[in-house]
Amino acid sequence: FLLVLVFPVTPEIAIGVMIISAAPGGVTSNILTSFGRGDVALSISLTAVISLISLITIPLIVGLSYAYFFGVTAKSEISITRIALSVFTIVTDFATSFAKTAKNISAALFSLVLLGAIFQERNNIAEYYADTGLITLSLNLIMLAVAWFVASLFGSGIQQKIAISIECGLQNGTLAIAVAT
């Protein structure tokens, strides 16, 4: 919230930043935790718990953000119930489908989708970065640092610090896109 107040962004981008910051980590954070030799079990546990909490927090944050940035109540413009159902569908799909064998397939698909998205949007990347790059980079770096610091305060080991930092710094983009849509 402080970032969207500090950075000169449109209300639409401000809500987008609020949505992505409220989204839990996803399969990508679990995969990157594995690649970073972090505590994968902790990463998956954090994703699961935070995903369940997000059933309440995301609709609440979206509604409050919409009211704040557009000056109208969310009831008149967006469906909090539909957002909650979208979050529930994505979260339960994750919970029922994640398995160890999916790790390699997920990593390959993640890379393929990322490269495809970059290729498809190659003409717009500079404009998108100009609009959102600095604020989202700031959000990620601040959350990585805060998570590492908090994990250190609790005496976590290096593998746990890696898992917690990645979980806090990387959000479930698929969920955020579904909510924004």
Side-chain angles (χ1 to χ4, degrees), residues 23 27 46 78 85 103 105 126 161 171:
V27 175
L46 287 171
I78 59 175
L85 289 173
K103 181 175 118 179
I105 295 170
K161 289 178 190 175
Q171 274 59 48

Side-chain angles (χ1 to χ4, degrees), residues 8-89:
V9 295
T10 64
E12 294 84 4
I13 291 175
I15 289 176
V17 170
M18 295 300 292
I19 291 170
I20 196 68
S21 66
V27 175
T28 305
S29 64
N30 303 146
I31 292 167
L32 292 179
T33 296
S34 176
F35 290 160
R37 303 203 189 279
D39 187 334
V40 177
L42 176 60
S43 178
I44 293 169
S45 298
L46 287 171
T47 297
V49 170
I50 295 168
S51 293
L52 289 174
I53 293 169
S54 72
L55 292 171
I56 297 167
T57 58
I58 289 178
L60 182 65
I61 289 170
V62 170
L64 291 172
S65 297
Y66 196 87
Y68 182 84
F69 293 111
F70 285 101
V72 295
T73 62
K75 288 180 187 177
S76 64
E77 299 290 327
I78 59 175
S79 170
I80 300 298
T81 304
R82 191 167 67 214
I83 291 171
L85 289 173
S86 294
V87 171
F88 177 77
T89 302

Side-chain angles (χ1 to χ4, degrees), residues 61-135:
I61 289 170
V62 170
L64 291 172
S65 297
Y66 196 87
Y68 182 84
F69 293 111
F70 285 101
V72 295
T73 62
K75 288 180 187 177
S76 64
E77 299 290 327
I78 59 175
S79 170
I80 300 298
T81 304
R82 191 167 67 214
I83 291 171
L85 289 173
S86 294
V87 171
F88 177 77
T89 302
I90 293 168
V91 167
T92 54
D93 180 57
F94 162 76
T96 59
S97 66
F98 191 79
K100 285 185 180 182
T101 57
K103 181 175 118 179
N104 293 333
I105 295 170
S106 296
L109 289 175
F110 169 71
S111 299
L112 185 63
V113 168
L114 180 62
L115 290 173
I118 290 170
F119 180 76
Q120 182 178 353
E121 296 296 328
R122 66 189 176 281
N123 297 328
N124 299 319
I125 288 177
E127 181 183 342
Y128 293 159
Y129 183 77
D131 289 343
T132 62
L134 191 55
I135 192 169

